[in-house]
Amino acid sequence: MSMIADALGVSSATVSNALSGKGRVSADLVDKIRKKADELGYVPSNAGRALRTGRSNVLGLVLPDISNPLFPQIAQAMETAASNAGYGVLIADSRGKVTTQTQAISRLIERGVDGLVVIPRRGTRIGDVGCPVAMVDTPSTPGNTVSADHWEGGAKVARHLVDLGHQNFLLIGHDPASNVQNDRIGGMKSALGRNTRHTTIWLETLMHERGERASLGLIDHVQNGVTAIAAVSDLHALRVLTELQTSGIKVPQQVSVTGFDDLIFSPVVTPSLTTVHMDMARIAELAIAALVREIEQGKSTVQNGKAAKQTVTADTSKVSMELMVRASSGPAASPDAPFPTGETL
């Protein structure tokens, strides 16, 4: 700034006002200052701005497991919404561990972020961390800011299968401690009706007992009359498809399979996967807007004489999910249909 000021014979304060759009500086001088700044390769100092304003214009984003293909998509949506609001984003990965999540939050706070978006591991609560927090989990989680309506999504996929004539269901979750997965399965069960049967298995429990690569035992469930398998994620649905096809069970002619999240591979696997789509752009927009509003207005509550930051509140707490009907779901097979011999496809 001093070099620009010296070159044009003005004060550094005038240069600062011209570049920030503040103060009384003529349009002609503003134009000259900005052209000179471009010539000299001037880049604003975020550190200097933070010292003046007390804000870094950077948000922290804590993801539960970045190896899951869902979360990079969420990160992209959050970064886009933050960028549109004039903020950068620092990303931290909890790597599936609550202790690592706590450490990630602390590191981001140390780096001076203005606020946090946290997608919590196992529905953990986020306490007072010294800055505003937007929590994105599921509507049943205390302190949730905004999220997809996972219960509604589960109900939609179950109604779809019931409408196709299915009466015997296998519901597959992964983590029984996950609020999101419990809401998805709860929504499925709520829409199944009285004249249906269902069994729920949790993969984390199953793998703990039998090992990571153990069979899910799907052929036994199909022999016992299951005609529809609904998983809480597309990743688990893909595992189901693989095991069924390896056992010679045709999808959807003999068993329908559905997933959740509409991941990038879902339309291109064979058969293409019926799933539930999450409007991540809308969720990110609402979460970032609520966070930025809290940061810029400086709202807080007072408890025991101290300002206490709470998770922020969005304009709406849940966003509807969309059922994506594809080739992996079809009419229920007749009870008299012959059972496959187990040949490998």
Side-chain angles (χ1 to χ4, degrees):
M1 270 195 214
S2 297
M3 292 173 64
I4 297 169
D6 291 343
L8 296 176
V10 297
S11 69
S12 295
T14 299
V15 174
S16 177
N17 286 337
L19 294 176
S20 64
K22 299 176 181 178
R24 296 181 180 179
V25 184
S26 69
D28 182 57
L29 185 53
V30 168
D31 186 54
K32 288 180 180 179
I33 288 171
R34 289 182 175 172
K35 284 181 179 178
K36 182 58 68 174
D38 289 340
E39 289 175 15
L40 296 176
Y42 168 78
V43 177
S45 169
N46 286 331
R49 181 182 300 156
L51 286 172
R52 292 192 308 274
T53 65
R55 297 210 305 262
S56 63
N57 278 67
V58 175
L59 305 176
L61 172 62
V62 182
L63 300 172
D65 183 1
I66 206 167
S67 67
N68 184 320
L70 170 65
F71 296 118
Q73 291 179 269
I74 292 177
Q76 185 179 53
M78 290 292 177
E79 195 282 330
T80 298
S83 179
N84 290 340
Y87 285 76
V89 177
L90 289 177
I91 297 174
D93 181 15
S94 298
R95 299 194 292 278
K97 299 176 182 178
V98 177
T99 54
T100 306
Q101 173 182 277
T102 302
Q103 293 166 359
I105 291 172
S106 296
R107 286 196 302 272
L108 290 170
I109 295 297
E110 289 169 3
R111 283 162 174 76
V113 296
D114 292 332
L116 290 169
V117 178
V118 179
I119 302 173
R121 170 63 177 160
R122 296 177 183 265
T124 51
R125 297 190 185 190
I126 309 301
D128 178 15
V129 297
C131 73
V133 176
M135 184 188 294
V136 179
D137 195 40
T138 188
S140 66
T141 298
N144 186 65
T145 298
V146 62
S147 67
D149 191 341
H150 299 285
W151 186 283
E152 176 207 42
K156 282 184 175 181
V157 75
R159 280 194 292 268
H160 165 67
L161 293 169
V162 169
D163 289 345
L164 290 170
H166 294 279
Q167 294 181 317
N168 198 334
F169 298 82
L170 178 63
L171 312 181
I172 296 183
H174 181 263
D175 179 4
S178 165
N179 289 351
V180 169
Q181 293 181 33
N182 275 293
D183 279 1
R184 290 179 175 185
I185 285 184
M188 293 176 193
K189 291 178 179 178
S190 73
L192 290 180
R194 295 181 179 178
N195 299 320
T196 62
R197 295 169 53 198
H198 69 268
T199 301
T200 303
I201 62 174
W202 293 98
L203 299 186
E204 192 172 86
T205 304
L206 187 71
M207 291 187 294
H208 179 73
E209 295 171 351
R210 304 181 187 176
E212 289 284 334
R213 299 186 179 181
S215 165
L216 303 183
L218 299 180
I219 196 166
D220 294 332
H221 288 284
V222 175
Q223 286 177 326
N224 288 327
V226 165
T227 62
I229 302 176
V232 297
S233 84
D234 292 348
L235 286 175
H236 306 319
L238 182 60
R239 182 173 180 175
V240 168
L241 283 175
T242 302
E243 185 168 318
L244 290 175
Q245 292 173 337
T246 301
S247 301
I249 299 171
K250 295 179 180 179
V251 178
Q253 293 89 340
Q254 291 168 302
V255 178
S256 288
V257 176
T258 63
F260 238 101
D261 295 328
D262 196 21
L263 297 180
I264 191 169
F265 61 77
S266 302
V268 296
V269 296
T270 302
S272 57
L273 185 62
T274 293
T275 185
V276 186
H277 178 79
M278 188 188 320
D279 189 348
M280 288 179 279
R282 179 61 177 154
I283 293 168
E285 178 184 290
L286 287 164
I288 296 297
L291 196 57
V292 169
R293 184 166 58 244
E294 175 71 22
I295 291 166
E296 297 185 350
Q297 294 180 0
K299 290 181 180 179
S300 65
T301 59
V302 176
Q303 295 178 356
N304 299 324
K306 297 181 180 179
K309 294 292 182 181
Q310 306 292 323
T311 50
V312 299
T313 303
D315 293 336
T316 182
S317 64
K318 53 189 177 184
V319 175
S320 200
M321 303 189 82
E322 180 183 1
L323 179 67
M324 311 295 290
V325 178
R326 299 192 179 111
S328 69
S329 58
S334 166
D336 301 324
F339 191 77
T341 58
E343 68 271 15
T344 300
L345 299 181

